[in-house]
Amino acid sequence: MVNLKIRILEFLNKHKKQIIFYLFLNILFVFFISLSSYVHIPLSGIKDRFLYFTHVVILQFSIVGYIYVSTLNKWLLRLVFLPCFLVFSLFAYWTYTQDISITNSMIEVIIETKPSIAIDLISIPFILFFVLIILIIFIIDKAYKKTYSIKVNMVFCFITICSIISFFVVENKRGNTLKSRLPYSVFFGLKDYFRATPYYFNKDIKLVKSPVDSLKIALVLGETVRADHLQLNGYNRETNPLLSRHKNLLSFKNVYTPHTYTGASLPRLITNAKVYDKNIDTITSVFDVFKLSDYKTFWIGNQELESSYGSIVKTNKNIVLIDSLRSVLSFSKSLDQEMLEPFDKFFFNVKDKGLFTLHMMGSHWWYENRYSDTYRKFTPVIDSKHIPSLNENEIINSYDNTILYLDFFLDELILKLKKETTPTILIYLSDHGEALGEDGKWLHAQDSESIKNPAMIVWYSERFVKNFPVKIKNLKNNQSKNFTTDVLYHSMLNLIEAKNVDIDFSQSLFSSEFLK
């Protein structure tokens, strides 16, 4: 035991300068890069803060190996480590100051934004931060020279191997724990950007036509809203006080999807891909059919475009992304009501025929950032991101407040649609639900039946009733039936009575053949 202590002391003394240098590098890396992914996380209490302190330590340990390898000689330091430190620090600046998420969408903005627009983002604080980073880089280079040569030894190599392996162990146990944080988020954002799923257009539908020449459709794609928390479906709380007052409004409480996260669910909502299709190869989107039927198509989104459906969305005539640099990971995301202004602009400037899609942030975690103070009706609410430190009542209260905000949002849309003289219809469908404690599970992207029952609502104008009485009759007859989210694509094609394209009428809510 004594010999071991002596050997450890000898090792520490022999490599003292090198150890101090790497401690110095890692401290700089934590404060200028890694910590930026945590400063905006809402936490409450010592336990929560200790948990996320541990999280930062685990993240930084997983980076230690890469720092060591990239500084084994002065050329690796100058050509790999220092440039990476500069780039990661600049990303961290925006994460620190704006709570911007580093994802494939942000990478896309950086790569594709015009230089003149990028220059407008450069401010005096940013310039000062940039100068500071250059100074730090100069200091690191000088400090490196004072350590003499970096010696490769078994102890450092062992720590490096353990460090690199730790990333894969943590990610395998719980995905996105580390890779959604800086600096990993830059690498994975680039990977997702260049790996964007191609969109395969079905060439057989070029002759699509529609005899319906007077119809405006507002398609609202919700996020994380479960059907059983709607007052419209018998929930014991008043979560839909505004929608409950509307005529011509139907809620469908028996919808099913096996997909419990947006990346898998949404592409199947807006295309003819079925929920049980394992692979999506040649597909036709709703937007394909509507554009070929001379309908103008618009996409207004409050979520970044994921690789699984981004190329599909980009086939719309006009695309507006609200707060595009902040993803669902952000705790400073804009509210969904910010989509109403561009909706007004598009909706009332289009005559007769149009499809207007709004993609909501909805009830995605963190709930307290999904609604304004006016809708904080159910209290107490959550005050920490760390779910184990919260009680069930707080979480459900916050979640139900997001449903109350959804009620306001859809009510605002309906009031706008009522001003239109053209027949109008609003179709709301959430991509999936949310686990709220069932079987000890919370949130989504996991296997729980509570997540597989998304909310669906349909409202239609009086002019729509007059023009399409049979469709309304069928819609009402089909309200209580059990069905999957496959109905959206076929119901919308049936709405405009599209010709020369396959419509499965057994999957259309507006058909008398529904589920036959």
Side-chain angles (χ1 to χ4, degrees), residues 72-109:
L72 284 175
N73 64 57
K74 66 178 182 181
W75 295 114
L76 280 172
L77 175 84
R78 291 171 180 174
L79 297 177
V80 178
F81 177 79
L82 294 180
C84 286
F85 184 82
L86 172 63
V87 171
F88 296 151
S89 296
L90 296 181
F91 275 109
Y93 172 83
W94 296 108
T95 305
Y96 268 124
T97 59
Q98 302 293 326
D99 190 21
I100 286 173
S101 308
I102 312 303
T103 63
N104 62 308
S105 293
M106 184 174 185
I107 299 297
E108 179 181 3
V109 169

mmCIF file of all heavy atoms in Angstrom, residues 72-109:
data_model
loop_
_atom_site.group_PDB
_atom_site.id
_atom_site.type_symbol
_atom_site.label_atom_id
_atom_site.label_comp_id
_atom_site.label_asym_id
_atom_site.label_seq_id
_atom_site.Cartn_x
_atom_site.Cartn_y
_atom_site.Cartn_z
ATOM 1 N N LEU A 72 -1.745 15.981 -28.633
ATOM 2 C CA LEU A 72 -0.558 15.143 -28.453
ATOM 3 C C LEU A 72 0.709 15.794 -29.011
ATOM 4 O O LEU A 72 1.812 15.451 -28.600
ATOM 5 C CB LEU A 72 -0.777 13.768 -29.097
ATOM 6 C CG LEU A 72 -1.673 12.815 -28.297
ATOM 7 C CD1 LEU A 72 -1.926 11.535 -29.063
ATOM 8 C CD2 LEU A 72 -1.052 12.508 -26.937
ATOM 9 N N ASN A 73 0.558 16.700 -29.962
ATOM 10 C CA ASN A 73 1.708 17.481 -30.411
ATOM 11 C C ASN A 73 1.225 18.867 -30.821
ATOM 12 O O ASN A 73 0.017 19.111 -30.915
ATOM 13 C CB ASN A 73 2.479 16.784 -31.538
ATOM 14 C CG ASN A 73 1.633 16.626 -32.800
ATOM 15 O OD1 ASN A 73 1.124 17.597 -33.356
ATOM 16 N ND2 ASN A 73 1.479 15.389 -33.250
ATOM 17 N N LYS A 74 2.150 19.755 -31.087
ATOM 18 C CA LYS A 74 1.770 21.151 -31.322
ATOM 19 C C LYS A 74 0.943 21.326 -32.594
ATOM 20 O O LYS A 74 0.116 22.239 -32.674
ATOM 21 C CB LYS A 74 3.007 22.037 -31.369
ATOM 22 C CG LYS A 74 3.949 21.771 -32.544
ATOM 23 C CD LYS A 74 5.119 22.733 -32.520
ATOM 24 C CE LYS A 74 6.041 22.519 -33.726
ATOM 25 N NZ LYS A 74 7.202 23.454 -33.701
ATOM 26 N N TRP A 75 1.157 20.441 -33.588
ATOM 27 C CA TRP A 75 0.397 20.590 -34.824
ATOM 28 C C TRP A 75 -1.041 20.127 -34.647
ATOM 29 O O TRP A 75 -1.961 20.731 -35.210
ATOM 30 C CB TRP A 75 1.087 19.839 -35.958
ATOM 31 C CG TRP A 75 2.418 20.443 -36.280
ATOM 32 C CD1 TRP A 75 3.651 19.890 -36.112
ATOM 33 C CD2 TRP A 75 2.640 21.772 -36.776
ATOM 34 N NE1 TRP A 75 4.632 20.766 -36.477
ATOM 35 C CE2 TRP A 75 4.048 21.943 -36.903
ATOM 36 C CE3 TRP A 75 1.814 22.835 -37.137
ATOM 37 C CZ2 TRP A 75 4.627 23.119 -37.357
ATOM 38 C CZ3 TRP A 75 2.385 24.005 -37.593
ATOM 39 C CH2 TRP A 75 3.766 24.153 -37.699
ATOM 40 N N LEU A 76 -1.250 19.075 -33.884
ATOM 41 C CA LEU A 76 -2.622 18.664 -33.562
ATOM 42 C C LEU A 76 -3.314 19.752 -32.748
ATOM 43 O O LEU A 76 -4.489 20.059 -32.959
ATOM 44 C CB LEU A 76 -2.610 17.349 -32.777
ATOM 45 C CG LEU A 76 -2.440 16.063 -33.588
ATOM 46 C CD1 LEU A 76 -2.258 14.869 -32.662
ATOM 47 C CD2 LEU A 76 -3.653 15.839 -34.489
ATOM 48 N N LEU A 77 -2.571 20.320 -31.801
ATOM 49 C CA LEU A 77 -3.132 21.406 -30.993
ATOM 50 C C LEU A 77 -3.585 22.564 -31.872
ATOM 51 O O LEU A 77 -4.710 23.059 -31.741
ATOM 52 C CB LEU A 77 -2.088 21.894 -29.988
ATOM 53 C CG LEU A 77 -2.504 23.116 -29.154
ATOM 54 C CD1 LEU A 77 -3.319 22.670 -27.961
ATOM 55 C CD2 LEU A 77 -1.286 23.927 -28.715
ATOM 56 N N ARG A 78 -2.718 22.993 -32.805
ATOM 57 C CA ARG A 78 -2.991 24.191 -33.597
ATOM 58 C C ARG A 78 -3.960 23.942 -34.757
ATOM 59 O O ARG A 78 -4.685 24.853 -35.153
ATOM 60 C CB ARG A 78 -1.672 24.753 -34.128
ATOM 61 C CG ARG A 78 -0.797 25.325 -33.022
ATOM 62 C CD ARG A 78 0.589 25.690 -33.504
ATOM 63 N NE ARG A 78 1.403 26.237 -32.410
ATOM 64 C CZ ARG A 78 2.693 26.531 -32.519
ATOM 65 N NH1 ARG A 78 3.326 26.323 -33.674
ATOM 66 N NH2 ARG A 78 3.362 27.020 -31.488
ATOM 67 N N LEU A 79 -3.962 22.724 -35.276
ATOM 68 C CA LEU A 79 -4.809 22.441 -36.438
ATOM 69 C C LEU A 79 -6.133 21.768 -36.070
ATOM 70 O O LEU A 79 -7.067 21.780 -36.862
ATOM 71 C CB LEU A 79 -4.052 21.560 -37.440
ATOM 72 C CG LEU A 79 -2.792 22.171 -38.057
ATOM 73 C CD1 LEU A 79 -2.109 21.169 -38.974
ATOM 74 C CD2 LEU A 79 -3.124 23.455 -38.812
ATOM 75 N N VAL A 80 -6.211 21.190 -34.871
ATOM 76 C CA VAL A 80 -7.434 20.490 -34.470
ATOM 77 C C VAL A 80 -8.064 21.123 -33.228
ATOM 78 O O VAL A 80 -9.168 21.660 -33.280
ATOM 79 C CB VAL A 80 -7.167 18.986 -34.217
ATOM 80 C CG1 VAL A 80 -8.454 18.289 -33.761
ATOM 81 C CG2 VAL A 80 -6.619 18.315 -35.472
ATOM 82 N N PHE A 81 -7.331 21.083 -32.103
ATOM 83 C CA PHE A 81 -7.950 21.514 -30.847
ATOM 84 C C PHE A 81 -8.332 22.992 -30.844
ATOM 85 O O PHE A 81 -9.465 23.356 -30.534
ATOM 86 C CB PHE A 81 -7.037 21.219 -29.653
ATOM 87 C CG PHE A 81 -7.616 21.707 -28.354
ATOM 88 C CD1 PHE A 81 -8.601 20.977 -27.704
ATOM 89 C CD2 PHE A 81 -7.221 22.923 -27.802
ATOM 90 C CE1 PHE A 81 -9.172 21.446 -26.527
ATOM 91 C CE2 PHE A 81 -7.785 23.397 -26.628
ATOM 92 C CZ PHE A 81 -8.760 22.654 -25.984
ATOM 93 N N LEU A 82 -7.375 23.864 -31.179
ATOM 94 C CA LEU A 82 -7.641 25.307 -31.091
ATOM 95 C C LEU A 82 -8.738 25.773 -32.050
ATOM 96 O O LEU A 82 -9.621 26.542 -31.650
ATOM 97 C CB LEU A 82 -6.355 26.095 -31.300
ATOM 98 C CG LEU A 82 -5.295 25.907 -30.195
ATOM 99 C CD1 LEU A 82 -4.051 26.725 -30.498
ATOM 100 C CD2 LEU A 82 -5.861 26.266 -28.827
ATOM 101 N N PRO A 83 -8.746 25.320 -33.331
ATOM 102 C CA PRO A 83 -9.870 25.689 -34.200
ATOM 103 C C PRO A 83 -11.213 25.181 -33.678
ATOM 104 O O PRO A 83 -12.220 25.891 -33.753
ATOM 105 C CB PRO A 83 -9.513 25.030 -35.538
ATOM 106 C CG PRO A 83 -8.033 24.912 -35.512
ATOM 107 C CD PRO A 83 -7.690 24.617 -34.091
ATOM 108 N N CYS A 84 -11.227 23.949 -33.150
ATOM 109 C CA CYS A 84 -12.477 23.402 -32.587
ATOM 110 C C CYS A 84 -12.917 24.208 -31.373
ATOM 111 O O CYS A 84 -14.107 24.501 -31.203
ATOM 112 C CB CYS A 84 -12.293 21.935 -32.204
ATOM 113 S SG CYS A 84 -12.245 20.807 -33.612
ATOM 114 N N PHE A 85 -11.959 24.585 -30.537
ATOM 115 C CA PHE A 85 -12.286 25.388 -29.357
ATOM 116 C C PHE A 85 -12.915 26.713 -29.770
ATOM 117 O O PHE A 85 -13.876 27.182 -29.156
ATOM 118 C CB PHE A 85 -11.023 25.625 -28.526
ATOM 119 C CG PHE A 85 -11.265 26.357 -27.237
ATOM 120 C CD1 PHE A 85 -11.706 25.681 -26.117
ATOM 121 C CD2 PHE A 85 -11.079 27.736 -27.159
ATOM 122 C CE1 PHE A 85 -11.947 26.354 -24.919
ATOM 123 C CE2 PHE A 85 -11.322 28.415 -25.982
ATOM 124 C CZ PHE A 85 -11.750 27.725 -24.861
ATOM 125 N N LEU A 86 -12.371 27.319 -30.813
ATOM 126 C CA LEU A 86 -12.920 28.587 -31.316
ATOM 127 C C LEU A 86 -14.346 28.396 -31.821
ATOM 128 O O LEU A 86 -15.265 29.150 -31.438
ATOM 129 C CB LEU A 86 -12.032 29.116 -32.440
ATOM 130 C CG LEU A 86 -12.564 30.340 -33.200
ATOM 131 C CD1 LEU A 86 -12.692 31.535 -32.269
ATOM 132 C CD2 LEU A 86 -11.670 30.668 -34.394
ATOM 133 N N VAL A 87 -14.561 27.398 -32.670
ATOM 134 C CA VAL A 87 -15.893 27.166 -33.258
ATOM 135 C C VAL A 87 -16.914 26.818 -32.175
ATOM 136 O O VAL A 87 -18.018 27.380 -32.139
ATOM 137 C CB VAL A 87 -15.822 26.047 -34.316
ATOM 138 C CG1 VAL A 87 -17.221 25.656 -34.771
ATOM 139 C CG2 VAL A 87 -14.991 26.494 -35.503
ATOM 140 N N PHE A 88 -16.561 25.907 -31.286
ATOM 141 C CA PHE A 88 -17.488 25.512 -30.226
ATOM 142 C C PHE A 88 -17.821 26.687 -29.310
ATOM 143 O O PHE A 88 -18.958 26.835 -28.858
ATOM 144 C CB PHE A 88 -16.897 24.373 -29.384
ATOM 145 C CG PHE A 88 -16.684 23.094 -30.146
ATOM 146 C CD1 PHE A 88 -15.679 22.209 -29.777
ATOM 147 C CD2 PHE A 88 -17.487 22.762 -31.234
ATOM 148 C CE1 PHE A 88 -15.483 21.027 -30.469
ATOM 149 C CE2 PHE A 88 -17.293 21.585 -31.933
ATOM 150 C CZ PHE A 88 -16.286 20.718 -31.550
ATOM 151 N N SER A 89 -16.847 27.523 -29.046
ATOM 152 C CA SER A 89 -17.074 28.689 -28.176
ATOM 153 C C SER A 89 -18.046 29.671 -28.818
ATOM 154 O O SER A 89 -18.884 30.272 -28.128
ATOM 155 C CB SER A 89 -15.750 29.381 -27.859
ATOM 156 O OG SER A 89 -14.894 28.538 -27.126
ATOM 157 N N LEU A 90 -17.927 29.855 -30.140
ATOM 158 C CA LEU A 90 -18.837 30.770 -30.836
ATOM 159 C C LEU A 90 -20.263 30.226 -30.830
ATOM 160 O O LEU A 90 -21.226 30.984 -30.679
ATOM 161 C CB LEU A 90 -18.355 31.001 -32.269
ATOM 162 C CG LEU A 90 -16.994 31.706 -32.388
ATOM 163 C CD1 LEU A 90 -16.621 31.895 -33.850
ATOM 164 C CD2 LEU A 90 -17.007 33.049 -31.663
ATOM 165 N N PHE A 91 -20.416 28.916 -30.988
ATOM 166 C CA PHE A 91 -21.740 28.307 -30.843
ATOM 167 C C PHE A 91 -22.257 28.511 -29.416
ATOM 168 O O PHE A 91 -23.432 28.806 -29.195
ATOM 169 C CB PHE A 91 -21.684 26.809 -31.151
ATOM 170 C CG PHE A 91 -21.804 26.474 -32.614
ATOM 171 C CD1 PHE A 91 -20.715 26.009 -33.328
ATOM 172 C CD2 PHE A 91 -23.019 26.623 -33.274
ATOM 173 C CE1 PHE A 91 -20.821 25.693 -34.676
ATOM 174 C CE2 PHE A 91 -23.134 26.315 -34.622
ATOM 175 C CZ PHE A 91 -22.041 25.853 -35.335
ATOM 176 N N ALA A 92 -21.346 28.335 -28.449
ATOM 177 C CA ALA A 92 -21.737 28.462 -27.042
ATOM 178 C C ALA A 92 -22.188 29.883 -26.716
ATOM 179 O O ALA A 92 -23.054 30.086 -25.852
ATOM 180 C CB ALA A 92 -20.570 28.062 -26.141
ATOM 181 N N TYR A 93 -21.609 30.876 -27.398
ATOM 182 C CA TYR A 93 -22.017 32.264 -27.162
ATOM 183 C C TYR A 93 -23.516 32.425 -27.385
ATOM 184 O O TYR A 93 -24.223 33.034 -26.562
ATOM 185 C CB TYR A 93 -21.245 33.200 -28.089
ATOM 186 C CG TYR A 93 -21.749 34.626 -28.044
ATOM 187 C CD1 TYR A 93 -21.326 35.490 -27.044
ATOM 188 C CD2 TYR A 93 -22.684 35.097 -28.982
ATOM 189 C CE1 TYR A 93 -21.804 36.806 -26.989
ATOM 190 C CE2 TYR A 93 -23.158 36.398 -28.932
ATOM 191 C CZ TYR A 93 -22.716 37.243 -27.932
ATOM 192 O OH TYR A 93 -23.201 38.531 -27.865
ATOM 193 N N TRP A 94 -24.026 31.875 -28.506
ATOM 194 C CA TRP A 94 -25.447 32.003 -28.808
ATOM 195 C C TRP A 94 -26.282 31.139 -27.877
ATOM 196 O O TRP A 94 -27.419 31.484 -27.556
ATOM 197 C CB TRP A 94 -25.709 31.634 -30.269
ATOM 198 C CG TRP A 94 -25.031 32.577 -31.200
ATOM 199 C CD1 TRP A 94 -23.940 32.337 -31.972
ATOM 200 C CD2 TRP A 94 -25.376 33.952 -31.414
ATOM 201 N NE1 TRP A 94 -23.571 33.478 -32.660
ATOM 202 C CE2 TRP A 94 -24.441 34.480 -32.348
ATOM 203 C CE3 TRP A 94 -26.376 34.781 -30.919
ATOM 204 C CZ2 TRP A 94 -24.489 35.793 -32.783
ATOM 205 C CZ3 TRP A 94 -26.421 36.103 -31.358
ATOM 206 C CH2 TRP A 94 -25.487 36.585 -32.276
ATOM 207 N N THR A 95 -25.721 30.022 -27.434
ATOM 208 C CA THR A 95 -26.446 29.181 -26.472
ATOM 209 C C THR A 95 -26.549 29.883 -25.131
ATOM 210 O O THR A 95 -27.590 29.869 -24.480
ATOM 211 C CB THR A 95 -25.725 27.826 -26.318
ATOM 212 O OG1 THR A 95 -25.580 27.213 -27.597
ATOM 213 C CG2 THR A 95 -26.524 26.892 -25.418
ATOM 214 N N TYR A 96 -25.459 30.508 -24.700
ATOM 215 C CA TYR A 96 -25.457 31.263 -23.441
ATOM 216 C C TYR A 96 -26.432 32.445 -23.501
ATOM 217 O O TYR A 96 -27.233 32.645 -22.587
ATOM 218 C CB TYR A 96 -24.060 31.814 -23.150
ATOM 219 C CG TYR A 96 -23.184 30.928 -22.299
ATOM 220 C CD1 TYR A 96 -21.929 30.515 -22.742
ATOM 221 C CD2 TYR A 96 -23.580 30.531 -21.025
ATOM 222 C CE1 TYR A 96 -21.102 29.720 -21.959
ATOM 223 C CE2 TYR A 96 -22.769 29.733 -20.230
ATOM 224 C CZ TYR A 96 -21.528 29.333 -20.695
ATOM 225 O OH TYR A 96 -20.734 28.546 -19.918
ATOM 226 N N THR A 97 -26.350 33.214 -24.567
ATOM 227 C CA THR A 97 -27.090 34.484 -24.611
ATOM 228 C C THR A 97 -28.523 34.352 -25.101
ATOM 229 O O THR A 97 -29.383 35.144 -24.713
ATOM 230 C CB THR A 97 -26.359 35.498 -25.499
ATOM 231 O OG1 THR A 97 -26.231 34.959 -26.831
ATOM 232 C CG2 THR A 97 -24.971 35.801 -24.949
ATOM 233 N N GLN A 98 -28.800 33.358 -25.967
ATOM 234 C CA GLN A 98 -30.121 33.263 -26.583
ATOM 235 C C GLN A 98 -30.822 31.924 -26.341
ATOM 236 O O GLN A 98 -31.930 31.724 -26.827
ATOM 237 C CB GLN A 98 -29.998 33.472 -28.098
ATOM 238 C CG GLN A 98 -29.373 34.798 -28.493
ATOM 239 C CD GLN A 98 -30.238 35.986 -28.141
ATOM 240 O OE1 GLN A 98 -31.462 35.903 -28.185
ATOM 241 N NE2 GLN A 98 -29.622 37.104 -27.780
ATOM 242 N N ASP A 99 -30.177 31.006 -25.637
ATOM 243 C CA ASP A 99 -30.739 29.661 -25.436
ATOM 244 C C ASP A 99 -31.042 28.994 -26.775
ATOM 245 O O ASP A 99 -32.060 28.336 -26.952
ATOM 246 C CB ASP A 99 -32.007 29.719 -24.572
ATOM 247 C CG ASP A 99 -32.481 28.323 -24.152
ATOM 248 O OD1 ASP A 99 -31.658 27.394 -24.166
ATOM 249 O OD2 ASP A 99 -33.677 28.171 -23.834
ATOM 250 N N ILE A 100 -30.156 29.201 -27.740
ATOM 251 C CA ILE A 100 -30.330 28.606 -29.060
ATOM 252 C C ILE A 100 -29.827 27.173 -29.040
ATOM 253 O O ILE A 100 -28.784 26.874 -28.473
ATOM 254 C CB ILE A 100 -29.579 29.438 -30.127
ATOM 255 C CG1 ILE A 100 -30.352 30.734 -30.398
ATOM 256 C CG2 ILE A 100 -29.374 28.665 -31.414
ATOM 257 C CD1 ILE A 100 -29.636 31.698 -31.299
ATOM 258 N N SER A 101 -30.586 26.277 -29.666
ATOM 259 C CA SER A 101 -30.224 24.872 -29.707
ATOM 260 C C SER A 101 -29.384 24.587 -30.943
ATOM 261 O O SER A 101 -29.715 25.030 -32.051
ATOM 262 C CB SER A 101 -31.485 23.997 -29.738
ATOM 263 O OG SER A 101 -32.357 24.358 -28.689
ATOM 264 N N ILE A 102 -28.306 23.856 -30.754
ATOM 265 C CA ILE A 102 -27.441 23.506 -31.880
ATOM 266 C C ILE A 102 -27.968 22.212 -32.487
ATOM 267 O O ILE A 102 -27.749 21.121 -31.969
ATOM 268 C CB ILE A 102 -25.972 23.329 -31.431
ATOM 269 C CG1 ILE A 102 -25.546 24.510 -30.552
ATOM 270 C CG2 ILE A 102 -25.070 23.185 -32.643
ATOM 271 C CD1 ILE A 102 -25.698 25.856 -31.200
ATOM 272 N N THR A 103 -28.698 22.342 -33.579
ATOM 273 C CA THR A 103 -29.298 21.196 -34.248
ATOM 274 C C THR A 103 -29.038 21.308 -35.745
ATOM 275 O O THR A 103 -28.419 22.268 -36.213
ATOM 276 C CB THR A 103 -30.814 21.156 -34.003
ATOM 277 O OG1 THR A 103 -31.396 22.341 -34.583
ATOM 278 C CG2 THR A 103 -31.140 21.109 -32.516
ATOM 279 N N ASN A 104 -29.543 20.332 -36.503
ATOM 280 C CA ASN A 104 -29.372 20.374 -37.953
ATOM 281 C C ASN A 104 -30.021 21.622 -38.560
ATOM 282 O O ASN A 104 -29.550 22.160 -39.562
ATOM 283 C CB ASN A 104 -29.938 19.108 -38.603
ATOM 284 C CG ASN A 104 -31.422 18.949 -38.365
ATOM 285 O OD1 ASN A 104 -31.892 19.010 -37.233
ATOM 286 N ND2 ASN A 104 -32.173 18.724 -39.420
ATOM 287 N N SER A 105 -31.100 22.115 -37.928
ATOM 288 C CA SER A 105 -31.757 23.321 -38.437
ATOM 289 C C SER A 105 -30.863 24.548 -38.301
ATOM 290 O O SER A 105 -30.800 25.394 -39.198
ATOM 291 C CB SER A 105 -33.074 23.557 -37.691
ATOM 292 O OG SER A 105 -34.003 22.553 -38.000
ATOM 293 N N MET A 106 -30.167 24.649 -37.178
ATOM 294 C CA MET A 106 -29.272 25.789 -37.001
ATOM 295 C C MET A 106 -28.081 25.668 -37.951
ATOM 296 O O MET A 106 -27.634 26.676 -38.525
ATOM 297 C CB MET A 106 -28.778 25.876 -35.558
ATOM 298 C CG MET A 106 -27.924 27.110 -35.332
ATOM 299 S SD MET A 106 -27.450 27.355 -33.626
ATOM 300 C CE MET A 106 -26.627 28.942 -33.723
ATOM 301 N N ILE A 107 -27.578 24.451 -38.124
ATOM 302 C CA ILE A 107 -26.485 24.235 -39.073
ATOM 303 C C ILE A 107 -26.922 24.666 -40.469
ATOM 304 O O ILE A 107 -26.180 25.317 -41.214
ATOM 305 C CB ILE A 107 -26.061 22.756 -39.090
ATOM 306 C CG1 ILE A 107 -25.562 22.320 -37.704
ATOM 307 C CG2 ILE A 107 -25.001 22.505 -40.156
ATOM 308 C CD1 ILE A 107 -24.344 23.035 -37.211
ATOM 309 N N GLU A 108 -28.167 24.334 -40.820
ATOM 310 C CA GLU A 108 -28.709 24.713 -42.124
ATOM 311 C C GLU A 108 -28.748 26.233 -42.271
ATOM 312 O O GLU A 108 -28.382 26.773 -43.320
ATOM 313 C CB GLU A 108 -30.105 24.132 -42.299
ATOM 314 C CG GLU A 108 -30.761 24.494 -43.617
ATOM 315 C CD GLU A 108 -32.155 23.910 -43.754
ATOM 316 O OE1 GLU A 108 -32.630 23.264 -42.796
ATOM 317 O OE2 GLU A 108 -32.763 24.098 -44.811
ATOM 318 N N VAL A 109 -29.191 26.914 -41.220
ATOM 319 C CA VAL A 109 -29.259 28.378 -41.262
ATOM 320 C C VAL A 109 -27.868 28.968 -41.452
ATOM 321 O O VAL A 109 -27.659 29.901 -42.247
ATOM 322 C CB VAL A 109 -29.899 28.921 -39.965
ATOM 323 C CG1 VAL A 109 -29.739 30.429 -39.885
ATOM 324 C CG2 VAL A 109 -31.368 28.551 -39.909
#
